[in-house]
């Protein structure tokens, strides 16, 4: 290809928001190769062979940024409450002298009627929400667009009271009669137990809808849909009340037992005359609208027709949810679709009940829901909303110290172009679903709101590049929806973070995350003469981020100290230099005990030694200025194994481990009660001085 063509592709990539360069963690700048850029542009569904089409596409993208025709305005405009707002100045020749009305969508009240002056300024009401802008142009044209007026910051962001909570994998919880997995009733039990111990929050693993017909697909971070939920978490008691003693969940076997029980519950619901429950279900289904019906049709098609959980492999007539063949099939199988809608309603009630109980027992926050960064490209959300999701490209992460070859997550994300063209409808619907029945949400890989590492589907992460997203628009919509729902927002900002990004999170009132293992301070020299980056003391933590003992992707405190994660990766051949890894961990152990001021032998593997380390680390977290401390429930119980080992699927029992005790026993566990005392946080956030002093 000629240099002229390469230059055109560079301009096209820039107009699309593909960053031509990226900075590695080593500080080295990498530039995207022309062929890799071509593949990415093609993956975005854009022309790459016809230079005239490329030039037309560039012109269209540029016109969106400076429209000269009112019809070029996007379906949704976004404004900030209390800040000046004006229509694009490039529209002045068409709109000056025209008339504008602003109508509040909820009650259809006219909030504003004004003539448009040269500035095209619009006087916004002091009321957040969604409005309809109706414009009668000076040239006789008429236009209607939607306007979101958002607050400056997310709900609850100015509340800096020191609190603590527990993070748990919902499936791991136990209760008598649960049938083999954690469920909504077990979650209520956990809420009650932790509230009694003084916690203000319970963070849970994602409850996104997976694939009902393929229960072996169990990763909560590769869901079929991020808008709907997994009915296997509905509390339907087993035939006997004997507790399930299995250490690991057999998901296919569990599904085979549970789905018939859910069907029996639905059939009983259909027979019973319960007007209030029927009205609630009918209202839920109306509110879910087309998006809910699409998801239920997807599940029904897979269940009854034996179709794979990948719409791209379906017969062509069924690949479009709006196709008449799909409508005809749905009409013929209305009962099956209603069953799946019933299951979604029941799952929504499970979370509603747990959050209601959390507030009843005095939790300030309650449930923290987890929102995954993407969805399976063959799943329900991609089938029904593929005009708003990336098609032909997946996301991941560039090479870094954690993953030298980069990461390909195999999931699809929203398309920035599709979102804009459809008024961000799928994004808003997803937010509302995530915020229902909880007190806060955690946005996985929150940097994805600004940019995502994009790679052609099936391609290597090494050939990827960052795709920019409309960060301010997305953040304002998050702030607006958080206020409408009364829900706080936490962003998982671990990994490669763009410069200044955390300051932007704080501007919008999103709490970041700080994990002990990643919070490092100045280099220190150990007793053996080796130098290592020391762990940050409590006072160096940020007041703009939650402080965490670990995450589902990292070793537990006990597992880190004992090197269980290294043992696993050595066994599975995931480490090139095992000796070096163990030596580095030994140095880190020395640095940690020094920071904690703990007298503990570095080779102490005794239960008592590990318990002392955990206690000291909890005290350390309690002393930070972080407004929220989140502790993995495995750390409160002193467990060694982690929920998920990145880089594995079946080699490690990811997303299958169950806790060794029932939730009702947690409040009576002496060690847990003692550790809750260590985590008790004073209003001045000073906390106790040393674990030994507390005990």
């Amino acid at each position: 290809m000629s240099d002229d063509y390469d230059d055109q592709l560079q301009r096209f990539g820039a107009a699309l928001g593909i960053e031509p360069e990226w900075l590695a963690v080593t500080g080295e700048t990498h530039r995207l190769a022309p062929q890799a850029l071509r593949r990415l542009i093609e993956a975005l569904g854009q022309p790459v062979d016809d230079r005239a089409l490329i030039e037309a596409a560039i012109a269209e993208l540029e016109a969106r940024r400076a429209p000269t025709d009112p019809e070029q305005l996007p379906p949704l405009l976004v404004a900030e409450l209390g800040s000046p707002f004006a229509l694009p100045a490039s529209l002045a020749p068409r709109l000056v002298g025209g008339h504008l009305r602003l109508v509040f969508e909820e009650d259809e009240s006219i909030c504003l009627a004004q003539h448009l002056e040269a500035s095209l300024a619009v006087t916004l009401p002091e009321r957040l929400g969604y409005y309809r802008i109706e414009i009668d142009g000076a040239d006789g044209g008429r236009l209607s667009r939607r306007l979101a007026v958002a607050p400056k910051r997310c709900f609850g962001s100015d509340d800096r009271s020191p609190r603590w909570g527990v993070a748990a994998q919902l499936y791991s919880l136990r209760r008598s009669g649960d049938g083999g997995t954690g469920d909504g009733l077990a979650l209520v039990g956990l809420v009650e137990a932790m509230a009694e111990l003084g916690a203000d929050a319970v963070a849970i693993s994602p409850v996104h809808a997976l694939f009902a017909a393929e229960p072996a697909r169990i990763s909560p971070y590769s869901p079929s849909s991020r808008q709907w939920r997994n009915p296997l978490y509905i509390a339907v008691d087993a035939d006997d009340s004997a507790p399930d003693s299995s250490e690991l969940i057999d998901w296919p076997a569990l599904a085979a037992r549970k789905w018939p029980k859910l069907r029996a519950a639905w059939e009983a619901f259909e027979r019973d005359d319960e007007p209030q429950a029927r009205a609630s279900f009918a209202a839920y289904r109306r509110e879910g609208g087309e998006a809910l019906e699409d998801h239920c049709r997807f599940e029904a098609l897979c269940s009854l027709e034996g179709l794979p959980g990948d719409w791209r492999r379906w017969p062509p007539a069924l690949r479009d949810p709006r196709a008449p063949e799909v409508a005809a099939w749905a009409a013929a199988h209305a009962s099956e679709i209603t069953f799946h809608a019933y299951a979604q309603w029941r799952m929504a009630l499970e979370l509603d009940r747990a959050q209601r109980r959390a507030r009843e027992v005095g939790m300030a926050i309650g449930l923290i829901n987890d929102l995954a960064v993407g969805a399976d490209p063959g799943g329900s959300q991609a089938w029904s909303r593929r005009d708003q999701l990336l098609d032909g490209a997946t996301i991941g992460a560039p090479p870094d110290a954690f993953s030298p070859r980069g990461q390909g997550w195999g999931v699809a994300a929203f398309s920035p172009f599709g979102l804009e063209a459809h008024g961000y409808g799928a994004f808003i619907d997803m937010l509302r679903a995530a915020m229902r029945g909880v007190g806060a949400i955690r946005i996985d890989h929150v940097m994805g709101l600004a940019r995502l590492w994009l790679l052609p589907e099936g391609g290597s992460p090494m050939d990827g590049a960052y795709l920019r997203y409309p960060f301010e628009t997305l953040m304002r919509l998050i702030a607006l929806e958080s206020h409408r729902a009364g829900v706080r927002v936490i962003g998982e900002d671990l990994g490669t973070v763009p410069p200044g990004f955390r300051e932007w999170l704080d501007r919008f009132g999103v709490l970041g995350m700080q994990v002990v293992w990643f919070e490092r301070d100045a280099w220190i020299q150990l007793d053996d003469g080796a130098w290592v980056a020391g762990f940050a003391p409590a006072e160096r933590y940020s007041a703009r981020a939650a402080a965490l003992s670990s995450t589902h992707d990292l070793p537990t405190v006990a597992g880190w100290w004992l090197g269980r994660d290294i043992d696993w990766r050595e066994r599975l051949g995931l480490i090139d230099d095992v000796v070096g890894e163990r030596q580095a961990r030994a140095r880190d152990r020395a640095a940690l005990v020094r920071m904690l001021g703990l007298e503990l032998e570095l080779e102490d593997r005794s239960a008592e030694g590990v318990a002392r380390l955990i206690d000291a680390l909890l005290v350390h977290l309690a002393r930070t200025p972080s407004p929220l401390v989140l502790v993995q429930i495995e750390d409160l119980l002193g467990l060694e194994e982690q929920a998920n080992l990145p880089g594995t699927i079946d080699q490690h029992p990811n997303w299958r481990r169950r806790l060794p005790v029932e939730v009702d026993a947690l409040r009576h566990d002496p060690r847990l009660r003692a550790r809750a005392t260590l985590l008790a946080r004073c209003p001045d956030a000073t906390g106790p001085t040393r674990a030994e002093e507390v005990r």
Side-chain angles (χ1 to χ4, degrees), residues 651-666:
Q651 309 97 310
H652 179 270
N654 298 333
W655 320 119
R656 296 179 60 203
R657 297 189 189 280
R658 302 204 71 193
L659 297 179
V661 296
E662 293 188 20
V663 291
D664 287 342
L666 294 177

Side-chain angles (χ1 to χ4, degrees), residues 490 511-515 541-548 626-630:
I490 301 168
L511 206 62
M513 289 173 50
Q514 295 178 119
V515 181
Y541 279 59
S542 172
R544 303 179 299 184
L548 286 77
S626 300
L628 178 64
V629 168
L630 285 175

Side-chain angles (χ1 to χ4, degrees), residues 33 158 277 396 575 618:
D158 295 327
I575 304 179
L618 296 183

Side-chain angles (χ1 to χ4, degrees), residues 99-104 109-114 121-125 131-132 134:
H99 187 76
L100 178 144
R101 286 179 303 279
L102 200 59
V103 183
F104 191 57
S109 60
I110 297 177
C111 303
L112 172 71
Q114 71 176 54
V122 179
T123 304
L124 296 178
Y131 296 79
R132 188 170 67 253
E134 299 173 346

Side-chain angles (χ1 to χ4, degrees), residues 381-413:
Q381 193 172 23
W383 179 63
S384 60
R385 297 293 187 99
R386 69 174 180 267
D387 50 1
Q388 296 183 58
L389 268 72
L390 291 172
D391 186 10
T394 57
I395 57 173
D400 57 22
F402 189 68
S403 299
R405 299 181 183 89
Q407 300 177 56
W409 300 331
V411 295

